[in-house]
Amino acid sequence: FPAFSLCAGAGQDVGRSCILVSIAGKNVMLDCGMHMGYNDDRRFPDFSYITQNGRLTDFLDCVIISHFHLDHCGALPYFSEMVGYDGPIYMTHPTKAICPILLEDYRKITVDKKGETNFFTSQMIKDCMKKVVAVHLHQTVQVDEELEIKAYYAGHVLGAAMFQIKVGCESVVYTGDYNMTPDRHLGAAWIDKCRPDLLISESTYATTIRDSKRCRERDFLKKVHETVERGGKVLIPVFALGRAQELCILLETFWERMNLKAPIYFSTGLTEKANHYYKLFITWTNQKIRKTFVQRNMFEFKHIKAFDRAFADNPGPMVVFATPGMLHAGQSLQIFRKWAGNEKNMVIMPGYCVQGTVGHKILSGQRKLEMEGRQILEVKMQVEYMSFSAHADAKGIMQLIRQAEPRNVLLVHGEAKKMEFLKQKIEQEFHVSCYMPANGETTTIFTNPSIPVDISLGLLKREAAIGPVPDAKKPKLMHGTLLMKDNSFRLVSPEQALKELGLAEHQLRFTCRVHIQDPRKEHETVLRVYNHLKGVLKDYSVQHLPDGSITVESILIQATAHSEDQGTKVLLVSWTYQDEELGSYLTSLLKKGLPQSTS
Amino acid sequence: QTELLDLSTVDVILISNYHCMMALPYITEYTGFTGTVYATEPTVQIGRLLMEELVNSIERVPKAQSASMWKNKEVQRLLPAPLKDAVEVSMWRKCYTMPEVNAALSKIQLVGYSQKIELFGAVQVTPLSSGYALGSSNWIIQSHYEKVSYVSGSSLLTTHPQPMDQASLKNSDVLILTGLTQIPTANPDGMVGEFCSNLAMTVRNGGNVLVPCYPSGVIYDLLECLYQYIDSAGLSNVPFYFISPVANSSLEFSQIFAEWLCHNKQTKVYLPEPPFPHAELIQTNKLKHYPSIHGDFSNDFKQPCVVFTGHPSLRFGDVVHFMELWGKSSLNTVIFTEPDFSYLDALAPYQPLAMKCVYCPIDTRLNFIQVSKLLKEVQPLHVVCPEQYTQPPPTQSHRTDLMVDCQPPAMSYRRAEVLTLPYKRRYEKIEIMPDLADSLVPLEIKPGISLATVSAVLHTKDNKHVLQLPPKPPQPPASKKRKRVSDDVPECKALKPLLSGSIPVDQFVQTLEKHGFSDVKVEDTAKGHIVLLQEAETLIQLEEDSTHIICDNDEPLRVKLRDLVLKFLQKF
């Protein structure tokens, strides 16, 4: 029963997550992401990996989306409407709510602004979302008779979930992106000790062990504060949902405490709506926010106002949150171009940037950027990177492995070198195999499942009752008959098996004549035999019956005089095949004769 | 009533809905109960609000002394009815406090619909949507082979909660049915219409409307109806007041449980818009909420108006003030919507009353028609329900339609009665470890049926059973000299398998001859044959279902014969 997984997009690369898992004959696709750094075919996963011929709907049992980030769901309408998939797509309620909005936003940027064709339409997004089934946390969703999935809280962003995929006693856990430390607005990921055969974990921050959150926050506030004090402008490129809310809460409380006056803006459109989602799905945020939301909703900001394009040219200090987060298009890029020339200004990148984006370029130290139309943009403003994106770091990944106790680990969604380091660490500490497949590579993992069968309660109770002292810890020997009929396995007592098959028991009995030299009278001989056996077989029930015979458990011993020789007695030892061992032992014991009586 | 049961021996409490948990602090804080309580998140949050309101209302009127002498049986006997007839007054307790509520609620484990919860490895419990209230659940309690459904407080009507999950109740061995509608003759939809028209009429005539209610539940539906109704009825300028210490929390909480709401409301959240329109009523100042009649409310209070407040029993809470304020005028109306209390009893202490009284009980729980529909759909093997559901209501003994009707007839139970559920457990699950499975040798006995004898070690842990390969017997060191046989008493009664089959005499004789027995003689008997080996003085009786080997004490011979016989037989 191999459970193997194939990475169509998420191998040793952060960018587009798309993993195919085949487990006990079921095929599940995990995430359907796009790559932000590409504008061509490489943008979407290559679905021909999944099946060369035949429809995806026939091949896949279901699709699971872990959270609403585009590198995890961006290719979904392309996949379902353009390539063609009509089966179920599972995601949590917040993901289902927010996903279509981000997709539409992304479509607008790509099609309306960049004028690309051959891209999915608004209608396709709508049709795609109709195939989505929303799931609750911890709800066991029965996809079909055998396949079940279950979502766990993953932190990371609103509605992010880890998924357990289970067929029979084999299971896989897919983490998506997750965060093991609670932040200002979300809780920490949690999973029970579900001991999956395979844990597929993201590894974006495979080698990083980040300093304390508090330090990072203080650092962030200090940088923003200093820039604003010297009259500079701060640009914080963010995605509309997620880090944005956390940083807003952070700045909001700081502004209030320090009584600062410089305006904070949030680029409009998506973000206002986004805050609304946070209000309505407040049950998905952290404990503190949930507890106090009636008195004060943390997502109603006093100091943070909506941004207008004209504000970018206003003199004086300001802080602007603008989308998208990797500076690859849209408003954040526009503002960046306006402010980049002034060394008083600062851009703070609060998250990971995919290769190929402007964000990635400036973070890697490039100060002269070639923009569209061969323009060269010189970056004089300060560039700061603060890891606020809510991925688990190496410590967090190890912690999750400790929680779930998987038998194998597979790392995805990270950079090859870093993953290699983490892989070694995992293998050392947990002694489990760890894999890190490349894109398009297939990893096969063999499981060795035990076989569940039905045992008749009668047999189970009988076996549990055998033994002189019922000792729960001591293993008990059990005998039964396994009946196999039309794929059903039942373990029953041999008697019941015979009865159910309509067969009669065939009794096999042995009677052995044992000759004993003993001149005494028959009953005296019997008594001697009895005393001898009683002495040797201390743990057995040895009885002397009134009719002159002896029983040892269910073995019968009778004595008769030899017809010719009065000095020889013949013992008839009779037992059934079921008592074979004891019977055989008795005859050999008696054959050696009786001990010389001392009386 | 707790003497029937030692609550410290209870392992698990399953909560169906927030109305069913009001006594929880009494159990968790006073009885030595150490088990786990399971409930959904909305049940816990709204249950907390209901308890908080109750505690608040009681604590607001502190009593310097509390009398308890009357609880003495001798004294009680002399009291006027109905006090005289009250049962078990010695068990009556004082209301719990907020710290006790918090302690009780902290012991609850939150669960989601369709979440499978393993209990002690023995059973699995699963909450299912029951459609009655936010987070209300029916429970499935099942092992691998038996399934008991507990259906309590369910609704098939479309109101704000997620619809009832009926499909998952199928294939139940036993279905325990309780929490049916209190008012089987009233149609909730009609009642809502009546509620609105009475309300409108009173306000138009310049009167005030008082709605005694709980702070959560039907009130959301009433507000939604009024939201659609007020403009068309010309009530736009009439203020609606919702007065409860938890009014604000209740209205806020209702908006954040999107995942527990019906489909329409979920869709709204996706937009994103608040699922309940009372958000808009609050925004436009049509609905105002206050923690009590004191403070802001006294400044804002304008008549005519509509007031929603508790407690629906009219015995405590702010509703008492409004009864006294408005009771004298026939312009005013009190509209009863909660079905839990008899409105006549509730009103009794306020008589004589000039104010109009309208009884519009809105109970969305299952009525008997819906029950039979449900049972037909779900098809449980047995139905178990309280005795009063198996006969028509005492006041309407001719209404045979007002009882549970199913085949086989429902088993009924009475208060404090112990009922044995009608099923017998036959099987359990056991796991065969892979190495043991590999060692089994299946044998096809009949077409399609194979069998294998299993001899293995049984491990039982946390009610999970596992079969493993028996350990190999330790090999005696070869160098050691042979032990005396008498030391070698067989240790455990290693059972041999049962045998089945029959031995065809001709083939048996041929086999014997093939193995070197030359003097085989066969005699026919009444039941079979006797095979004689003359030289060895051995006799083998062959019958249909038995074989008897009688021989001298010659072990090698006996073993040889035994193995020849076994060749013809199957082992079980």
Side-chain angles (χ1 to χ4, degrees):
Chain A
F1 298 89
F4 69 88
S5 76
L6 173 98
C7 293
Q12 297 153 8
D13 179 15
V14 181
R16 23 157 231 214
S17 280
C18 188
I19 299 165
L20 178 72
V21 169
S22 298
I23 168 169
K26 301 283 170 184
N27 299 309
V28 178
M29 192 168 96
L30 304 169
D31 280 337
C32 191
M34 52 147 275
H35 201 297
M36 299 279 204
Y38 297 126
N39 286 323
D40 50 27
D41 283 350
R42 291 174 295 173
R43 174 163 52 201
F44 295 131
D46 186 352
F47 295 111
S48 64
Y49 273 124
I50 295 177
T51 169
Q52 248 85 32
N53 35 30
R55 292 173 61 238
L56 286 169
T57 312
D58 300 329
F59 182 77
L60 290 174
D61 292 283
C62 73
V63 172
I64 293 171
I65 302 293
S66 64
H67 64 283
F68 59 64
H69 278 157
L70 290 177
D71 55 341
H72 290 260
C73 70
L76 198 57
Y78 168 76
F79 165 75
S80 76
E81 305 311 308
M82 296 171 80
V83 182
Y85 169 75
D86 297 321
I89 302 168
Y90 294 95
M91 52 178 88
T92 65
H93 283 271
T95 309
K96 185 180 174 189
I98 296 164
C99 186
I101 291 165
L102 294 183
L103 287 171
E104 177 60 26
D105 194 53
Y106 167 48
R107 188 199 66 81
K108 267 192 202 147
I109 291 176
T110 327
V111 177
D112 298 356
K113 291 216 173 116
K114 293 192 187 158
E116 280 187 44
T117 49
N118 191 24
F119 204 75
F120 52 79
T121 64
S122 290
Q123 189 56 44
M124 283 178 183
I125 298 175
K126 281 184 192 135
D127 292 338
C128 165
M129 293 312 289
K130 281 182 197 150
K131 298 169 185 172
V132 171
V133 183
V135 300
H136 290 250
L137 281 183
H138 301 163
Q139 172 191 4
T140 303
V141 181
Q142 212 72 47
V143 177
D144 59 35
E145 292 269 296
E146 291 107 32
L147 174 63
E148 56 180 52
I149 61 172
K150 180 178 176 182
Y152 292 93
Y153 190 77
H156 188 61
V157 288
L158 192 74
M162 307 188 277
F163 280 88
Q164 182 194 41
I165 301 120
K166 198 171 167 195
V167 182
C169 46
E170 286 169 59
S171 64
V172 173
V173 169
Y174 172 61
T175 64
D177 290 354
Y178 62 105
N179 187 14
M180 295 299 285
T181 43
D183 59 31
R184 281 183 185 260
H185 74 306
L186 296 174
W190 178 86
I191 194 161
D192 51 17
K193 206 180 282 299
C194 55
R195 296 195 175 103
D197 292 298
L198 176 64
L199 174 80
I200 304 175
S201 172
E202 65 131 338
S203 53
T204 315
Y205 287 119
T207 50
T208 328
I209 293 185
R210 285 176 295 174
D211 45 0
S212 88
K213 188 98 186 175
R214 201 169 282 272
C215 290
R216 264 177 290 148
E217 285 177 358
R218 209 167 34 224
D219 235 34
F220 170 78
L221 290 172
K222 200 173 132 207
K223 277 177 185 148
V224 173
H225 193 191
E226 279 169 5
T227 311
V228 172
E229 285 286 278
R230 66 168 179 256
K233 296 177 170 61
V234 182
L235 171 65
I236 308 172
V238 287
F239 285 100
L241 288 122
R243 271 340 81 190
Q245 277 69 29
E246 186 186 0
L247 296 177
C248 281
I249 292 173
L250 193 63
L251 281 188
E252 168 92 7
T253 40
F254 187 69
W255 248 238
E256 185 134 342
R257 199 172 71 225
M258 304 295 286
N259 202 13
L260 296 181
K261 292 284 175 283
I264 308 175
Y265 297 112
F266 211 145
S267 66
T268 41
L270 263 180
T271 43
E272 265 174 296
K273 242 182 174 179
N275 288 345
H276 231 64
Y277 281 115
Y278 276 83
K279 283 187 222 166
L280 292 171
F281 285 110
I282 214 142
T283 50
W284 284 77
T285 59
N286 71 25
Q287 194 124 33
K288 192 179 156 205
I289 293 184
R290 262 167 27 208
K291 257 196 177 147
T292 54
F293 90 101
V294 177
Q295 289 79 41
R296 185 172 174 223
N297 199 317
M298 291 290 263
F299 298 103
E300 278 164 16
F301 301 115
K302 262 190 278 172
H303 296 273
I304 300 167
K305 295 172 207 86
F307 181 75
D308 187 286
R309 199 181 293 192
F311 294 171
D313 297 322
N314 284 1
M318 66 172 85
V319 179
V320 174
F321 289 94
T323 54
M326 298 185 194
L327 284 179
H328 56 278
Q331 201 157 33
S332 63
L333 187 60
Q334 276 173 22
I335 300 173
F336 175 75
R337 290 169 78 162
K338 275 194 177 150
W339 293 358
N342 191 337
E343 63 274 4
K344 269 206 296 188
N345 297 341
M346 179 184 282
V347 58
I348 299 180
M349 307 297 298
Y352 186 89
C353 288
V354 161
Q355 229 168 16
T357 60
V358 172
H360 188 267
K361 283 176 194 157
I362 59 169
L363 280 183
S364 49
Q366 219 173 313
R367 287 296 173 264
K368 287 205 166 88
L369 302 172
E370 190 180 331
M371 307 305 280
E372 284 153 42
R374 298 261 171 90
Q375 259 182 305
I376 298 291
L377 180 71
E378 198 172 340
V379 182
K380 287 187 183 150
M381 76 197 297
Q382 295 179 50
V383 179
E384 293 288 345
Y385 171 69
M386 308 225 87
S387 151
F388 271 98
S389 57
H391 292 278
D393 59 5
K395 218 165 91 191
I397 295 170
M398 302 295 273
Q399 203 180 333
L400 187 84
I401 296 174
R402 210 166 293 129
Q403 270 183 23
E405 287 191 3
R407 295 190 186 92
N408 297 279
V409 177
L410 191 141
L411 299 176
V412 295
H413 206 270
E415 287 163 27
K417 254 197 232 152
K418 297 180 179 177
M419 284 159 87
E420 184 60 48
F421 173 79
L422 184 65
K423 170 176 149 54
Q424 280 172 9
K425 227 180 132 188
I426 290 169
E427 286 178 341
Q428 252 169 36
E429 188 166 336
F430 299 105
H431 309 290
V432 297
S433 323
C434 186
Y435 306 85
M436 36 177 286
N439 279 358
E441 193 184 319
T442 302
T443 307
T444 307
I445 287 152
F446 289 93
T447 59
N448 200 3
S450 46
I451 295 159
V453 302
D454 301 344
I455 181 167
S456 86
L457 213 60
L459 179 64
L460 186 66
K461 286 199 172 153
R462 183 173 82 181
E463 294 303 328
I466 283 184
V469 196
D471 183 357
K473 279 186 192 138
K474 206 178 159 195
K476 295 159 207 119
L477 207 61
M478 107 143 15
H479 303 272
T481 303
L482 187 64
L483 280 176
M484 287 162 273
K485 189 180 161 191
D486 320 323
N487 268 338
S488 90
F489 294 85
R490 284 182 309 135
L491 189 60
V492 297
S493 64
E495 292 88 347
Q496 191 181 340
L498 281 177
K499 207 171 134 195
E500 279 187 27
L501 293 168
L503 297 175
E505 188 195 337
H506 188 102
Q507 215 183 55
L508 177 57
R509 180 169 273 285
F510 305 98
T511 301
C512 258
R513 295 183 291 263
V514 183
H515 298 262
I516 284 187
Q517 301 299 329
D518 190 12
R520 278 166 253 220
K521 285 194 177 151
E522 267 163 50
H523 68 267
E524 285 173 27
T525 312
V526 169
L527 206 61
R528 285 186 67 202
V529 170
Y530 170 69
N531 286 332
H532 177 50
L533 293 181
K534 189 103 179 147
V536 175
L537 301 167
K538 291 206 169 63
D539 291 340
Y540 291 82
S541 132
V542 183
Q543 282 178 307
H544 190 186
L545 299 182
D547 66 355
S549 55
I550 299 172
T551 59
V552 179
E553 301 289 320
S554 57
I555 297 172
L556 190 71
I557 305 173
Q558 284 169 316
T560 52
H562 198 275
S563 47
E564 290 150 27
D565 178 4
Q566 283 299 321
T568 303
K569 300 287 177 296
V570 179
L571 292 178
L572 292 176
V573 184
S574 179
W575 69 93
T576 61
Y577 177 61
Q578 281 69 41
D579 290 320
E580 172 72 5
E581 254 162 69
L582 186 60
S584 156
Y585 168 74
L586 274 181
T587 52
S588 57
L589 179 69
L590 292 171
K591 194 176 183 180
K592 283 184 294 186
L594 295 172
Q596 287 306 311
S597 79
T598 47
S599 58
Chain B
Q1 188 166 6
T2 49
E3 71 265 38
L4 179 71
L5 191 71
D6 178 2
L7 283 163
S8 66
T9 64
V10 171
D11 293 314
V12 168
I13 296 178
L14 307 176
I15 307 247
S16 292
N17 58 64
Y18 47 74
H19 287 299
C20 300
M21 61 185 286
M22 299 301 280
L24 192 64
Y26 291 125
I27 295 178
T28 58
E29 304 310 301
Y30 292 109
T31 60
F33 170 80
T34 54
T36 319
V37 186
Y38 290 101
T40 62
E41 185 171 2
T43 300
V44 174
Q45 298 297 2
I46 295 173
R48 181 196 298 275
L49 297 182
L50 292 187
M51 291 182 185
E52 201 177 317
E53 189 193 54
L54 182 72
V55 171
N56 193 295
S57 309
I58 303 275
E59 284 178 354
R60 228 191 271 168
V61 278
K63 287 189 179 124
Q65 279 182 320
S66 59
S68 58
M69 279 290 280
W70 63 274
K71 287 186 180 176
N72 187 315
K73 281 226 165 77
E74 288 308 301
V75 182
Q76 194 203 351
R77 199 166 51 86
L78 304 172
L79 294 174
L83 275 178
K84 190 172 68 174
D85 309 318
V87 283
E88 304 274 2
V89 286
S90 59
M91 304 290 296
W92 291 14
R93 303 267 192 81
K94 274 200 278 183
C95 185
Y96 38 74
T97 62
M98 240 11 238
E100 284 167 346
V101 170
N102 288 329
L105 296 183
S106 70
K107 287 167 187 143
I108 298 182
Q109 189 98 39
L110 295 185
V111 294
Y113 288 151
S114 304
Q115 179 176 348
K116 292 178 180 171
I117 306 139
E118 284 283 339
L119 298 183
F120 322 111
V123 287
Q124 209 178 44
V125 295
T126 309
L128 302 174
S129 177
S130 80
Y132 166 56
L134 268 176
S136 69
S137 354
N138 292 322
W139 291 86
I140 291 177
I141 305 156
Q142 62 186 341
S143 68
H144 287 292
Y145 305 95
E146 298 82 21
K147 178 170 172 180
V148 177
S149 303
Y150 176 69
V151 175
S152 164
S154 300
S155 177
L156 291 172
L157 300 179
T158 319
T159 58
H160 59 274
Q162 213 181 89
M164 178 178 177
D165 181 351
Q166 295 182 63
S168 304
L169 297 172
K170 283 184 182 168
N171 304 319
S172 297
D173 295 293
V174 175
L175 187 142
I176 305 171
L177 181 68
T178 182
L180 302 185
T181 177
Q182 307 259 24
I183 324 286
T185 46
N187 165 15
D189 280 338
M191 287 297 146
V192 171
E194 222 170 284
F195 169 83
C196 288
S197 61
N198 275 299
L199 184 142
M201 199 145 62
T202 306
V203 175
R204 264 190 229 116
N205 294 333
N208 301 295
V209 177
L210 178 62
V211 187
C213 63
Y214 291 117
S216 177
V218 176
I219 184 168
Y220 303 143
D221 297 316
L222 291 178
L223 289 174
E224 185 157 2
C225 285
L226 290 172
Y227 168 81
Q228 291 155 357
Y229 182 75
I230 44 177
D231 287 327
S232 63
L235 302 174
S236 319
N237 297 319
V238 181
F240 288 78
Y241 300 120
F242 177 17
I243 304 167
S244 158
V246 297
N248 186 26
S249 300
S250 165
L251 294 171
E252 288 287 339
F253 269 113
S254 67
Q255 307 286 21
I256 65 159
F257 290 125
E259 291 154 278
W260 308 85
L261 293 173
C262 64
H263 181 74
N264 271 347
K265 298 225 174 310
Q266 265 178 20
T267 322
K268 278 187 123 178
V269 175
Y270 290 164
L271 291 177
E273 275 171 26
F276 285 98
H278 53 239
E280 198 185 320
L281 287 176
I282 294 168
Q283 226 168 27
T284 54
N285 263 331
K286 283 173 182 157
L287 174 68
K288 292 182 182 174
H289 53 83
Y290 303 91
S292 81
I293 49 170
H294 307 290
D296 288 347
F297 177 68
S298 15
N299 303 328
D300 300 352
F301 182 46
K302 269 190 230 113
Q303 303 192 67
C305 65
V306 179
V307 169
F308 295 86
T309 190
H311 185 271
S313 67
L314 304 194
R315 290 298 180 274
F316 55 88
D318 288 325
V319 72
V320 176
H321 296 272
F322 288 99
M323 282 306 293
E324 275 161 8
L325 182 68
W326 291 341
K328 311 279 181 298
S329 166
S330 60
L331 282 177
N332 302 327
T333 307
V334 54
I335 309 181
F336 292 90
T337 55
E338 302 287 354
D340 290 356
F341 302 93
S342 148
Y343 78 106
L344 292 174
D345 287 350
L347 285 173
Y350 300 93
Q351 298 293 2
L353 209 58
M355 150 188 235
K356 276 197 293 278
C357 303
V358 179
Y359 184 52
C360 303
I362 298 169
D363 194 334
T364 56
R365 287 173 287 187
L366 296 175
N367 63 33
F368 291 101
I369 299 166
Q370 290 161 338
V371 165
S372 41
K373 214 177 112 190
L374 174 73
L375 292 180
K376 249 180 225 140
E377 181 77 26
V378 172
Q379 303 252 345
L381 286 182
H382 301 277
V383 175
V384 174
C385 67
E387 192 179 36
Q388 52 270 40
Y389 294 152
T390 58
Q391 54 208 30
T395 49
Q396 292 158 295
S397 52
H398 62 287
R399 294 290 300 268
T400 50
D401 56 328
L402 298 184
M403 55 186 272
V404 171
D405 179 28
C406 61
Q407 272 317 316
M411 302 176 59
S412 67
Y413 59 90
R414 269 183 246 176
R415 190 190 166 95
E417 191 182 5
V418 176
L419 204 67
T420 309
L421 296 183
Y423 59 76
K424 198 170 175 277
R425 297 178 56 221
R426 286 177 208 284
Y427 286 97
E428 275 264 19
K429 269 274 184 267
I430 195 165
E431 285 194 358
I432 297 186
M433 295 304 282
D435 46 350
L436 174 63
D438 286 342
S439 76
L440 297 180
V441 190
L443 185 75
E444 188 159 23
I445 277 292
K446 288 181 179 177
I449 305 178
S450 305
L451 60 84
T453 55
V454 180
S455 240
V457 177
L458 172 69
H459 285 273
T460 300
K461 193 183 164 194
D462 298 337
N463 290 315
K464 296 261 180 254
H465 311 290
V466 174
L467 279 184
Q468 289 180 337
L469 265 183
K472 290 212 174 77
Q475 296 287 330
S479 61
K480 227 175 162 184
K481 74 173 182 202
R482 254 187 91 214
K483 283 201 222 158
R484 282 176 54 213
V485 182
S486 57
D487 293 343
D488 225 8
V489 177
E491 213 175 88
C492 73
K493 288 168 272 178
L495 287 174
K496 289 278 179 206
L498 293 186
L499 303 171
S500 179
S502 59
I503 300 173
V505 68
D506 297 338
Q507 285 177 38
F508 183 62
V509 170
Q510 280 170 24
T511 311
L512 284 177
E513 283 167 348
K514 216 189 279 170
H515 282 83
F517 298 96
S518 50
D519 54 346
V520 183
K521 212 174 124 191
V522 179
E523 286 173 15
D524 287 354
T525 63
K527 284 185 186 165
H529 312 275
I530 290 179
V531 179
L532 283 168
L533 306 176
Q534 286 163 329
E535 196 183 322
E537 285 186 54
T538 295
L539 187 116
I540 303 166
Q541 292 176 350
L542 293 178
E543 288 177 13
E544 176 76 27
D545 286 329
S546 69
T547 301
H548 194 169
I549 300 175
I550 302 163
C551 61
D552 269 340
N553 195 359
D554 180 355
E555 190 66 5
L557 171 72
R558 190 185 67 81
V559 170
K560 193 171 180 184
L561 290 174
R562 177 193 76 189
D563 292 342
L564 290 179
V565 168
L566 287 178
K567 274 190 186 166
F568 289 91
L569 298 173
Q570 287 145 350
K571 292 181 184 177
F572 281 79

